[in-house]
Amino acid sequence: AQSLLRRVEAAAGAARSPRLPRLKPRRGPHPAVIWSLLALATVSLATAGLLALREPAPQGYARCDQGDVCFFTRPDGQGEMCAWYEYDDDWVGGIVTCDWARTTRPRSAFNNGYVGDPHHDVKLFREAGRKTPFGCIQELQKVNFPDPGGLVIRSHEWVRSC
């Protein structure tokens, strides 16, 4: 290519083209990459700092919202939780379903209903449709069910008194 250029210049009677300076190869990453990584690190650190300032997620019975009755897969409000604020005729096929209730029995419960509500206790039933009553959880009561496998509960109802 170099010799062709010189022959064309000679044939055209043009002056010799100046030689362009050679570019030196860049060492290291491109500055745009460096700035992008620096910006990403800054945003990550700021996000981590903000997350560290927030309150920790509630644990155990504290996860149960005011006005709900909550059931847990493990004792002392641990494990998975299902919560209701009204009665439920069928835990696995009703309006509000509890996914784990098909295969796992509750091991603990918390009646976190509203204090002073006329229907403040929760009556438990072994069958759907509020049939076969077998227990009751009083207002603000936290209970671990004694059976190591948990209790079969399929429906519940808010009542005036246990």
Side-chain angles (χ1 to χ4, degrees):
Q2 192 65 277
S3 65
L4 177 62
L5 176 62
R6 298 297 171 224
R7 284 187 300 197
V8 170
E9 287 172 343
R16 195 173 169 132
S17 300
R19 185 174 174 131
L20 295 175
R22 295 222 176 243
L23 296 176
K24 295 180 182 174
R26 182 187 342 258
R27 303 272 186 228
H30 194 276
V33 172
I34 293 172
W35 284 108
S36 297
L37 290 174
L38 184 62
L40 180 65
T42 303
V43 169
S44 297
L45 288 173
T47 302
L50 289 175
L51 290 176
L53 293 176
R54 70 183 177 127
E55 290 185 30
Q59 299 292 315
Y61 293 121
R63 297 180 287 164
C64 187
D65 289 336
Q66 174 91 43
D68 288 354
V69 60
C70 301
F71 295 87
F72 305 88
T73 58
R74 298 183 55 214
D76 301 315
Q78 299 299 314
E80 294 181 66
M81 178 183 83
C82 285
W84 287 270
Y85 59 89
E86 289 186 358
Y87 75 91
D88 195 338
D89 279 334
D90 188 356
W91 281 20
V92 295
I95 295 171
V96 176
T97 59
C98 181
D99 293 334
W100 53 259
R102 289 185 192 279
T103 58
T104 306
R105 298 175 179 174
R107 299 287 310 279
S108 60
F110 177 31
N111 177 354
N112 198 18
Y114 293 111
V115 175
D117 188 307
H119 294 88
H120 54 268
D121 293 346
V122 178
K123 194 169 187 178
L124 307 175
F125 300 89
R126 290 194 189 280
E127 296 180 33
R130 293 180 275 172
K131 297 176 185 167
T132 316
F134 73 95
C136 193
I137 305 171
Q138 294 179 333
E139 180 179 32
L140 301 180
Q141 183 181 14
K142 298 172 184 173
V143 61
N144 285 321
F145 299 125
D147 183 1
L151 295 177
V152 176
I153 303 173
R154 283 294 303 273
S155 57
H156 69 271
E157 176 180 26
W158 292 88
V159 295
R160 289 187 180 274
S161 178
C162 283

